Amino acid sequence: MSKRMVVLGGDATGMSAASTALRHAGDGELEVVVLERGHYTSYSACGIPYWISGHVPDRDQLIARSPGEHREAGIDVRMRTEATAIDLEKRTVSVRGVDDGDTYELGFDELVIATGAVPTVPPLEGADAQGIFGVQSLEQGEEIVKDLADGDRRRAVVVGAGYIGVEMAEAMVVRGIETTVVEHAPEPFTQVDPDMGALIREAMEGMGITVITGTSADGFDVGEDGRVTAVRAGDTVLPADIVIMGLGVKPNAALAADAGLTIGPSGGIVTDVRMQAAPGVWAGGDCVEVRHRLSGAGVHIALGTHANKHGRIIGTNIAGGYGAFPGVIGTAISKVCDLEIGRSGLTEREAAAAGFGYVATSVESTTTAGYWPGAEMMTVKVLAEQRTGRLLGAQIVGRQGSGKRIDVFATAIWNGMTVEEMTFMDLSYAPPFSPVWDAVLVAARKAAKEVQGEIPASPV
Amino acid sequence: MSKRMVVLGGDATGMSAASTALRHAGDGELEVVVLERGHYTSYSACGIPYWISGHVPDRDQLIARSPGEHREAGIDVRMRTEATAIDLEKRTVSVRGVDDGDTYELGFDELVIATGAVPTVPPLEGADAQGIFGVQSLEQGEEIVKDLADGDRRRAVVVGAGYIGVEMAEAMVVRGIETTVVEHAPEPFTQVDPDMGALIREAMEGMGITVITGTSADGFDVGEDGRVTAVRAGDTVLPADIVIMGLGVKPNAALAADAGLTIGPSGGIVTDVRMQAAPGVWAGGDCVEVRHRLSGAGVHIALGTHANKHGRIIGTNIAGGYGAFPGVIGTAISKVCDLEIGRSGLTEREAAAAGFGYVATSVESTTTAGYWPGAEMMTVKVLAEQRTGRLLGAQIVGRQGSGKRIDVFATAIWNGMTVEEMTFMDLSYAPPFSPVWDAVLVAARKAAKEVQGEIPASPV
C-alpha cells in the first residue's frame, strides 16, 4: 500500500528529500506531494547576487529543476500553495492556495518541514517604501533586476555587511553604482573576527565602496512618489536610489512551533541526527538548528549546502535507508570582487562564548610561490585550544585563489587535529599552486609555537 | 664550548637545517659549515620550468637566499666544495674543491647529509650530444635558457611524461616550440592511473603537444656539429632541435652508503623519525627514503616541500629541540598550461602493490556552480579500502581551480577518514567557489556507495 510523503517547501531540502525518497522507494510505494508558496522550485538563492551583478546572465540558470521537471519525475508539486497548520495527532496539514484562498486538509504518513528562513527586518520608519529590497527569494531578485532596469539608480545603500551585504555590494559595484554599506558592528563581516574584518573593510574601500561601521540604519527618507531617497544612520543621511536589506535571516519555524514541535535556543526546529523532529515528521534546511561539533551548541546556519545534505538524509531515511547528519563546524566562503573570505570552526567571540581557552595567531602568505607571476596575498588566522593545541577555527581573507584553502582547515577541524599535527602535513606543492610551505602549514606552525613555545622541548 | 655542524648540500634541506639550528642555538654554541658543490644555495628547483617558459623572468627570483646572505646570517658556506667521504668513526668529512682540487679533512659533531638526487640517465647512444639537457639544477636551467636564446629551436622532444616532462612540455609550448613528449608507459603521467593519464594525454594533445606513449627513447641522432638532430624511439625518428630529459631522479646516497649508513629498498638513506641516520648524523630531502603512512613502505619522493620540512626538523633536533617527521602520503600537484593534476595517497597500482583490496570510482564535476561564468570541468577519482571504506587515494585532473582540492583529500587521508565519513563534511560553498555539493563530497559519496551499496541499510 502506498504511503504519502508531504513536503512543505519546494527548495533545496524539500525537493532533495522528495527526489531522494522517490528514487529509492519501490514502485507505487510512495506518493510525494510538495507544497510551495512561491513561483519556483529548486533554485540557487546563493546565486541571486550574481544574477543581479550580471555574472549570471539568465535567471533560469539559477533554477536547477522547474516544477514541471519535478512533476515529470513523479512528484506532485503544488505551486503557490502553503500549509497553514500541522496536526500531529490527526497527521494532516491544512493547505491554502496563496492566490485563490482555497483550503483543504491533506493527510500524511511522512511529513517534511522545509520552510526555510525569513529575513530579519527591523521595524524602521519608511521600511515599506519602494526601492527597498530583500534578497532572500528569486522573486525578490527579480524585483531588484527589474528595478535596476527601470530607472537611473546611481547610489545604492546596502544595510548589513554580512554574506548578503558584501555580495550585494559587489553586485552594485559591478553594475557601476556608487555603493555604501552600513553595518552596526565595528568592522564589516562579523562572521570573522574584527581584525580580519578590518582587512575586508580596507579591501572594500579600495574597490570604491563606502563602508560605514558602528552605525545602524535608523530609518528611511521617502519621496513624494513613495520611493526611498535616503537611509538615515545615526547622524548621517545617506542618499539612496536603491536600498538592499542584508540583515540576515531567522528560521521560519512558526508552523512547527504551533504544531508543538521543539524549537531550540537558536529559533530553529530541533531534530535528532536523522533529521526527525517527531515520529514520521522530518525537518531540514534553513528552518532547523543543527549541532556544532566544536561547541556542542545548537546553531542556526542558513546555507544551501546544509539544506541539500538534510534533504538527501531525510529522503534516504523515509525510503527506509539510514542517513545521519554529523553536524556543522561553521564553514563558509564568500567574496567581494577579487577579495575572498573563508572561515571554519569558531571565531574568537564564538570560542569565548563556548568557554574555550585559546590562542589566536595570524600569518601572511602568498597563494603561490612568491615569484610566480599570479602570486596573491592572503592573511590566515588560526585559533587553537590552549594546552591541547586542538584547532578550533580558521579564517582567511585574501585575493583570488586563497579562499578555498579553508576546506583544508575544515577537514582538519572535522578530525580534531592539533595545530602541531598539522605542521608537517603532506599538502601539495608546486610553484603555481603554493609556496613550498603552504599558508595552511605556516599558520599551523605559528599557532603551535604559541601553544608550545618557540622550540618544542626535547623529550630526551 | 662550541660544537661544529657540517652540512653536505646547500639547498632546501641543508640550508633550512643550518638556519634553523643556528637560530635556536645559544650564542657561540654552534659553528655551521655548509659544503655546496654548485654555484647556488637555497633555490627553487621546482621553479626552473617556469623560468625557462618565461613565466618567471629572472633567474634570481628562484633563489631564496644567496651564499652571501647565508654568510651574513653566520653560516660558513663553502661553495664549489664537495665531500668525497664520510668517516663515522673519526667523525670527519673529506672535502675537495671542485675547481681547484684542494682537499682537506673537516671534523664534525653533527653531520647533515642533504646531497639531493641525481637524474636517471639511461645509457643511450648519442646521449652526450649537445642540445640534450636535464632539468635538475639551476646550472642546467641556465644551460637551457642560454641554448634557447642561442639558436632557432623549432622542435623540442621531451623524454618522459612525469612532473618534469609535462612541465617542460608546457615551457616549450609557451615559447612557441613544436613539442613532442615520449613516454614508455601506455599513458602519460604514471603518477596517476592510466584512466586519468588518458585525460592528461587528451588535454595535452588539445594544446598542440604530440604525445607518444608505449615507446621508449632508444637513442639520439647527432649532427656533424655534435648537436642532437633527432630522438629515436622504436620505429620512429623524432626530429629535434633540443631534447629535454625528464626521466626522474634517484637518491644521491653513494657517499652515505660508502660510509656504512643504511640504504633502503628505494635507494634512499634510512633515518629514524627525527631524520637521524646514525648518532649525530642526520639526513633529509631528496637523498632519503621516508615512510608512507598508508603502505608503511619506505619510499623515495623528491619534493621541495618534504626537503624543507626535513631541514627544519633536523635543525630543531640539532638545536636540542624535538622534531619528528610524520611520513608522507604521496601528495603532489602539477600543471600543463591550464590543466591541473593533483594526487594524494595511493594509485591503483600502488594500492595493489601494498596489498590493499579497494574500490575505485570517478566523478565529473565543476570547479564552481555550473552556472558561474568561470566554471571549469574536473574529474576526480577516489580509491577506498573495500569493507572499511577508508580513503586510500585521490586523483584530480581538471582545468584551472581544480587541482588544489587535492589538499582536502590529503587531510582526509592523513586522518584515516572513511569515504562515508567524508560524505557530509562541512566544506565551504558559494557559487563562485564550488557547486552546492563540492566535487570532494560527490566523489566521496560515490565511493561510499561502491563500498556499502546504493542506499545504506537501515540499522533499525
Side-chain angles (χ1 to χ4, degrees):
Chain A
M1 209 185 81
S2 170
K3 69 177 181 178
R4 184 187 290 153
M5 169 179 176
V6 173
V7 179
L8 310 185
D11 205 351
T13 299
M15 295 316 313
S16 177
S19 306
T20 303
L22 202 61
R23 196 166 62 245
H24 292 305
D27 255 7
E29 273 182 10
L30 195 66
E31 177 198 357
V32 183
V33 182
V34 175
L35 311 182
E36 168 53 45
R37 181 182 297 184
H39 297 86
Y40 305 101
T41 54
S42 303
Y43 64 86
S44 170
C46 327
I48 294 172
Y50 304 108
W51 172 39
I52 295 169
S53 70
H55 285 99
V56 178
D58 183 7
R59 183 201 61 193
D60 289 353
Q61 292 180 269
L62 299 182
I63 300 173
R65 227 180 278 183
S66 68
E69 289 171 298
H70 284 300
R71 287 188 193 114
E72 275 171 34
I75 299 170
D76 178 359
V77 182
R78 305 184 187 178
M79 301 301 294
R80 303 291 290 158
T81 304
E82 64 182 4
T84 55
I86 302 165
D87 190 323
L88 294 180
E89 288 294 314
K90 286 167 43 194
R91 300 193 83 71
T92 57
V93 170
S94 303
V95 182
R96 194 179 74 88
V98 173
D99 298 320
D100 56 23
D102 287 356
T103 62
Y104 57 94
E105 298 290 296
L106 184 66
F108 62 82
D109 298 294
E110 307 278 353
L111 179 69
V112 180
I113 304 173
T115 43
V118 286
T120 305
V121 184
L124 299 180
E125 195 192 330
D128 55 353
Q130 287 170 36
I132 303 177
F133 300 97
V135 202
Q136 260 66 50
S137 67
L138 202 48
E139 285 86 350
Q140 288 176 308
E142 278 189 308
E143 287 172 15
I144 298 172
V145 168
K146 185 166 177 308
D147 191 80
L148 291 169
D150 274 359
D152 189 18
R153 318 295 179 211
R154 292 191 207 168
R155 291 166 303 190
V157 173
V158 178
V159 179
Y163 295 101
I164 281 290
V166 302
E167 287 163 13
M168 285 304 299
E170 168 178 345
M172 294 295 134
V173 164
V174 168
R175 291 187 68 123
I177 299 170
E178 197 183 313
T179 302
T180 300
V181 179
V182 186
E183 165 64 43
H184 77 280
E187 293 294 348
F189 213 84
T190 55
Q191 292 83 0
V192 298
D193 286 320
D195 53 331
M196 300 297 276
L199 301 175
I200 299 170
R201 169 210 289 275
E202 195 180 337
M204 289 176 75
E205 288 172 348
M207 295 162 194
I209 299 167
T210 303
V211 181
I212 299 176
T213 54
T215 307
S216 294
D218 302 321
F220 304 93
D221 289 346
V222 184
E224 289 183 3
D225 58 354
R227 188 174 176 94
V228 68
T229 58
V231 176
R232 276 178 278 117
D235 299 333
T236 319
V237 175
L238 303 164
D241 304 316
I242 183 168
V243 174
I244 306 293
M245 299 299 290
L247 292 172
V249 296
K250 54 188 181 188
N252 183 16
L255 209 59
D258 290 347
L261 295 174
T262 307
I263 305 299
S266 76
I269 303 167
V270 173
T271 73
D272 66 12
V273 294
R274 295 178 78 180
M275 306 309 296
Q276 193 164 229
V281 179
W282 313 80
D286 294 0
C287 64
V288 302
E289 77 170 31
V290 290
R291 198 60 44 191
H292 196 294
R293 290 166 65 99
L294 290 171
S295 68
V299 292
H300 175 245
I301 299 180
L303 255 181
T305 179
H306 300 318
N308 272 281
K309 286 172 192 148
H310 295 166
R312 183 175 289 265
I313 287 165
I314 291 169
T316 298
N317 285 321
I318 288 178
Y322 178 73
F325 187 67
V328 300
I329 52 173
T331 311
I333 194 166
S334 186
K335 78 181 195 72
V336 200
C337 299
D338 69 333
L339 187 79
E340 301 183 353
I341 309 162
R343 58 151 287 163
S344 188
L346 303 170
T347 59
E348 290 201 50
R349 188 176 51 78
E350 292 166 343
F356 284 108
Y358 63 87
V359 300
T361 54
S362 296
V363 300
E364 291 206 334
S365 182
T366 50
T367 52
T368 67
Y371 57 78
W372 183 254
E376 298 280 0
M377 291 304 300
M378 68 171 115
T379 303
V380 180
K381 179 171 181 173
V382 162
L383 268 67
E385 188 179 22
Q386 64 187 35
R387 301 182 67 94
T388 70
R390 180 162 60 118
L391 179 65
L392 291 180
Q395 298 162 51
I396 298 174
V397 173
R399 300 286 169 168
Q400 198 166 11
S402 57
K404 254 293 187 181
R405 272 178 174 83
I406 201 66
D407 285 352
V408 182
F409 286 113
T411 308
I413 292 171
W414 194 268
N415 286 284
M417 290 187 85
T418 67
V419 285
E420 178 67 31
E421 283 168 345
M422 292 179 72
T423 305
F424 293 119
M425 244 196 331
D426 189 359
L427 300 184
S428 63
Y429 160 63
F433 297 97
S434 77
V436 70
W437 290 95
D438 190 277
V440 171
L441 304 179
V442 178
R445 188 168 74 213
K446 187 163 178 206
K449 274 184 197 168
E450 284 289 319
V451 173
Q452 304 202 0
E454 173 69 19
I455 178 165
S458 171
V460 292
Chain B
M1 206 183 85
S2 171
K3 68 177 182 178
R4 185 188 288 155
M5 168 181 178
V6 173
V7 178
L8 311 184
D11 205 349
T13 299
M15 295 316 314
S16 177
S19 305
T20 304
L22 201 59
R23 197 167 60 244
H24 293 303
D27 254 10
E29 274 181 10
L30 195 65
E31 177 198 356
V32 183
V33 182
V34 175
L35 311 182
E36 168 54 46
R37 181 184 295 185
H39 297 87
Y40 304 101
T41 53
S42 304
Y43 64 88
S44 171
C46 328
I48 294 172
Y50 304 106
W51 173 39
I52 295 169
S53 69
H55 283 99
V56 179
D58 183 5
R59 182 201 64 193
D60 290 351
Q61 292 180 268
L62 300 181
I63 301 173
R65 229 179 276 184
S66 68
E69 290 171 298
H70 284 300
R71 284 184 196 120
E72 274 171 36
I75 299 170
D76 178 359
V77 182
R78 305 183 187 178
M79 300 302 295
R80 303 291 290 155
T81 303
E82 63 181 4
T84 55
I86 302 166
D87 190 324
L88 294 180
E89 288 293 314
K90 285 165 48 192
R91 301 194 81 71
T92 57
V93 170
S94 303
V95 182
R96 193 179 76 87
V98 173
D99 297 320
D100 55 24
D102 287 357
T103 61
Y104 56 95
E105 299 288 297
L106 185 65
F108 63 81
D109 298 293
E110 307 279 352
L111 180 68
V112 179
I113 303 174
T115 44
V118 287
T120 305
V121 184
L124 300 180
E125 194 191 333
D128 56 352
Q130 287 170 37
I132 303 177
F133 301 97
V135 201
Q136 261 65 50
S137 66
L138 202 48
E139 286 85 351
Q140 287 174 309
E142 278 188 309
E143 287 173 15
I144 297 172
V145 169
K146 185 168 178 308
D147 191 80
L148 290 170
D150 274 358
D152 190 17
R153 318 294 180 212
R154 293 192 208 169
R155 291 166 303 190
V157 174
V158 178
V159 179
Y163 295 100
I164 282 290
V166 302
E167 288 163 11
M168 285 304 297
E170 168 177 345
M172 293 295 135
V173 164
V174 168
R175 292 187 67 123
I177 299 169
E178 198 183 312
T179 303
T180 300
V181 179
V182 186
E183 166 64 44
H184 77 281
E187 293 293 349
F189 213 84
T190 56
Q191 292 84 0
V192 296
D193 286 320
D195 53 332
M196 299 296 276
L199 301 175
I200 300 169
R201 169 211 290 275
E202 195 182 335
M204 288 175 76
E205 287 172 348
M207 296 162 194
I209 300 167
T210 303
V211 182
I212 299 175
T213 55
T215 307
S216 294
D218 302 322
F220 304 93
D221 289 348
V222 184
E224 288 184 2
D225 58 355
R227 189 174 176 94
V228 68
T229 59
V231 176
R232 277 179 276 119
D235 299 334
T236 318
V237 175
L238 303 164
D241 303 317
I242 183 168
V243 174
I244 306 293
M245 300 299 289
L247 293 173
V249 296
K250 55 189 182 187
N252 183 17
L255 208 60
D258 290 348
L261 295 174
T262 306
I263 305 299
S266 75
I269 303 166
V270 173
T271 73
D272 66 12
V273 293
R274 295 179 76 179
M275 307 308 298
Q276 195 165 228
V281 178
W282 312 80
D286 294 359
C287 64
V288 302
E289 78 171 29
V290 289
R291 197 60 45 190
H292 197 293
R293 289 167 66 99
L294 290 171
S295 69
V299 292
H300 176 243
I301 299 181
L303 255 180
T305 180
H306 300 319
N308 272 282
K309 287 172 191 148
H310 295 166
R312 183 174 288 264
I313 287 165
I314 292 169
T316 298
N317 285 322
I318 288 178
Y322 179 72
F325 187 66
V328 300
I329 52 173
T331 310
I333 195 166
S334 186
K335 79 182 195 74
V336 201
C337 300
D338 70 333
L339 187 80
E340 302 183 356
I341 309 163
R343 59 152 286 166
S344 188
L346 304 171
T347 59
E348 290 200 50
R349 187 176 51 76
E350 292 166 343
F356 283 109
Y358 63 87
V359 299
T361 54
S362 295
V363 298
E364 291 205 335
S365 182
T366 49
T367 52
T368 66
Y371 58 77
W372 183 251
E376 298 281 1
M377 292 303 301
M378 66 171 117
T379 303
V380 179
K381 178 170 181 173
V382 162
L383 269 68
E385 188 180 20
Q386 64 188 32
R387 301 181 66 93
T388 72
R390 180 162 61 119
L391 179 66
L392 291 179
Q395 298 163 50
I396 297 173
V397 173
R399 302 285 169 167
Q400 197 164 10
S402 57
K404 253 292 184 181
R405 271 179 175 80
I406 201 66
D407 285 352
V408 182
F409 286 112
T411 309
I413 292 170
W414 193 267
N415 286 285
M417 288 187 88
T418 68
V419 284
E420 178 66 30
E421 284 169 343
M422 293 177 72
T423 305
F424 294 119
M425 240 192 339
D426 190 0
L427 300 183
S428 62
Y429 159 64
F433 296 97
S434 77
V436 69
W437 290 95
D438 190 278
V440 171
L441 303 179
V442 178
R445 188 169 71 214
K446 187 166 178 203
K449 275 186 196 166
E450 283 289 319
V451 173
Q452 304 203 0
E454 172 70 16
I455 178 164
S458 171
V460 289

